[in-house]
């Protein structure tokens, strides 16, 4: 079965954790732009050097660069039968880039999982994560920048995908397993079942 999915949610919504669970269950690779950038930063690649200060400040890496990274990744063999995108697209220009790329392959997204978490809850989770993981972009300032970008630039992509009828809004408050179960229920309603 093929499944081409996108998971969207504000910072601290748990989209990374849920994305990995869903990708594993469906047997598709998870493509997280944040993870790709962080790996490049820690390995000190050219790309890593280009994006480090942008990421640390909580700003968006330029669309062209990000879209090129995603096109490369989705062109690898393991993504031929499906993928789960986490963190891309996150603005309207990137939606257009992805549309163009997928159209060229005669593919389209099957579903967009939108995790809904109130701002106070995501802020509390981010603050907790900041102490646990010490991510360079989990400073108070960078968090505010990222949440602002989410509200201004990323949330509007849900209206675009909404008009295509592919958005599943999932309540992101609750236990991890509970939330995973909600996502699977929504995907199953679209005929997308975990391979067990
Ligand atoms: P979060 O969702 O918590 O901000 P991510 O791991 O998804 O964390 O992304 C970390 C950073 O990587 C972002 O703040 C941004 O600098 C960069 N990044 C990730 N995805 C994109 C994207 N689609 N476009 C531009 N920059 C991105």
């Amino acid at each position: 079965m093929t499944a081409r999915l996108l998971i969207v949610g504000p910072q601290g919504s748990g989209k990374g954790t849920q994305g990995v669970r869903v990708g594993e269950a469906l047997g598709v690779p998870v493509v997280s732009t944040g993870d790709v950038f962080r790996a490049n930063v820690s390995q000190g690649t050219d790309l890593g050097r280009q994006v480090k200060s942008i990421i640390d400040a909580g700003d968006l890496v330029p669309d062209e660069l990000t879209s090129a990274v995603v096109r490369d990744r989705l062109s690898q063999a393991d993504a031929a039968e499906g993928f789960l995108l986490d963190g891309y697209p996150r603005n309207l220009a990137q939606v257009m880039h992805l549309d163009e790329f997928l159209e060229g392959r005669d593919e389209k997204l099957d579903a967009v999982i939108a995790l809904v978490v109130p701002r106070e809850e995501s802020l509390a989770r981010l603050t907790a994560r900041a102490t646990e993981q010490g991510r360079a972009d989990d400073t108070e300032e960078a968090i505010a920048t990222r949440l602002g970008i989410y509200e201004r630039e990323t949330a509007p992509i849900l209206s675009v995908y909404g008009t295509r009828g592919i958005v599943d809004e999932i309540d992101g408050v609750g236990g991890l397993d509970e939330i995973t179960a909600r996502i699977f229920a929504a995907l199953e309603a679209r005929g997308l079942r975990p391979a067990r």
Side-chain angles (χ1 to χ4, degrees):
M1 192 192 58
T2 65
R4 297 188 176 90
L5 306 174
L6 161 64
I7 189 162
V8 183
Q11 285 70 18
S13 63
K15 76 180 160 58
T17 308
Q18 296 296 339
V20 168
R21 288 178 167 214
V22 174
E24 274 174 7
L26 292 175
V28 296
V30 175
V31 176
S32 157
T33 41
D35 284 352
V36 172
F37 289 139
R38 278 187 292 277
N40 276 276
V41 169
S42 65
Q43 288 159 19
T45 65
D46 280 349
L47 175 64
R49 276 192 293 275
Q50 260 176 290
V51 301
K52 185 182 185 323
S53 60
I54 302 176
I55 292 180
D56 288 354
D59 290 323
L60 290 189
V61 172
D63 294 333
E64 284 298 342
L65 188 55
T66 307
S67 293
V69 164
V70 173
R71 284 196 301 270
D72 275 359
R73 179 64 190 87
L74 294 184
S75 301
Q76 287 171 28
D78 65 335
E81 294 302 313
F83 50 78
L84 181 141
L85 286 169
D86 164 2
Y88 177 93
R90 60 171 91 196
N91 61 26
L92 294 171
Q94 294 180 8
V95 169
M96 287 170 61
H97 285 143
L98 180 65
D99 278 349
E100 203 178 306
F101 175 75
L102 292 180
E103 272 162 27
R105 307 209 306 178
D106 213 10
E107 294 175 0
K108 60 181 172 48
L109 289 180
D110 297 305
V112 176
I113 302 159
L115 283 178
V116 182
V117 174
R119 194 185 171 108
E120 314 79 70
E121 170 87 15
S122 52
L123 262 178
R125 291 186 195 171
L126 281 175
T127 315
R129 184 174 83 185
T131 15
E132 287 160 18
Q133 299 182 1
R135 243 172 72 166
D137 60 351
D138 275 347
T139 61
E140 204 174 315
E141 220 182 338
I143 287 174
T145 302
R146 283 150 63 216
L147 281 171
I149 292 176
Y150 182 82
E151 281 160 17
R152 281 193 315 277
E153 301 192 37
T154 308
I157 77 171
L158 291 172
S159 327
V160 175
Y161 288 126
T163 62
R164 300 181 194 175
I166 56 171
V167 175
D168 289 314
E169 288 204 349
I170 306 291
D171 177 3
V173 182
L176 277 185
D177 292 343
E178 206 178 342
I179 299 166
T180 308
R182 287 176 197 149
I183 296 175
F184 285 148
L187 293 178
E188 284 192 23
R190 295 184 181 276
L192 300 164
R193 280 188 186 76
R196 279 207 200 95

